[in-house]
Amino acid sequence: MFILQSTNLALRFLLELCALAALGYWGFKLDKGIAMKIVFGLGSPLAWAVVWGTFGSPKAVIKLSAITHFILELLVFGLPAVALYAAGKPNLALIYGMILVINRLLMYV
């Protein structure tokens, strides 16, 4: 059981890294000027990391109730899937979303 838990936590970390990459990719693929691409390409992953680190991560500074944490988790980890879809990568969005659901189910179990 320990191996499954450790593997699932490693997968969770990889999903966090993928979320940052997906948001950055979306930002740089926008049909805006180069300045806006840089702002969104660097700013959206940074904002995601600040929100997740402050409110959602295991070592979060501000602890949330279980339901509020779950809602935040849905938003924070669902947003990269939407960003991938909006950037023209629906297959990657689907794969990311499916792995995310499996990871969350295993964390619950």
Side-chain angles (χ1 to χ4, degrees), residues 46-83:
L46 179 62
W48 186 96
V50 168
V51 168
W52 182 245
T54 304
F55 300 105
S57 72
K59 295 182 180 180
V61 177
I62 300 172
K63 299 293 182 187
L64 301 175
S65 67
I67 189 70
T68 308
H69 186 273
F70 181 71
I71 292 169
L72 175 72
E73 194 172 319
L74 283 177
L75 291 172
V76 166
F77 282 100
L79 189 61
V82 173

Side-chain angles (χ1 to χ4, degrees), residues 9-104:
L9 286 175
L11 177 61
R12 179 59 153 216
F13 179 68
L14 288 174
L15 285 169
E16 290 175 11
L17 294 177
C18 288
L20 294 171
L23 290 170
Y25 179 78
W26 166 80
F28 284 113
K29 293 298 280 187
L30 287 176
D31 291 335
K32 306 289 181 188
I34 188 70
M36 292 307 287
K37 286 182 178 189
I38 291 172
V39 167
F40 283 102
L42 298 176
S44 57
L46 179 62
W48 186 96
V50 168
V51 168
W52 182 245
T54 304
F55 300 105
S57 72
K59 295 182 180 180
V61 177
I62 300 172
K63 299 293 182 187
L64 301 175
S65 67
I67 189 70
T68 308
H69 186 273
F70 181 71
I71 292 169
L72 175 72
E73 194 172 319
L74 283 177
L75 291 172
V76 166
F77 282 100
L79 189 61
V82 173
L84 282 171
Y85 186 82
K89 300 291 183 185
N91 290 337
L92 283 178
L94 182 63
I95 292 167
Y96 172 82
M98 288 174 25
I99 293 172
L100 184 64
V101 168
I102 291 167
N103 175 258
R104 185 62 182 126

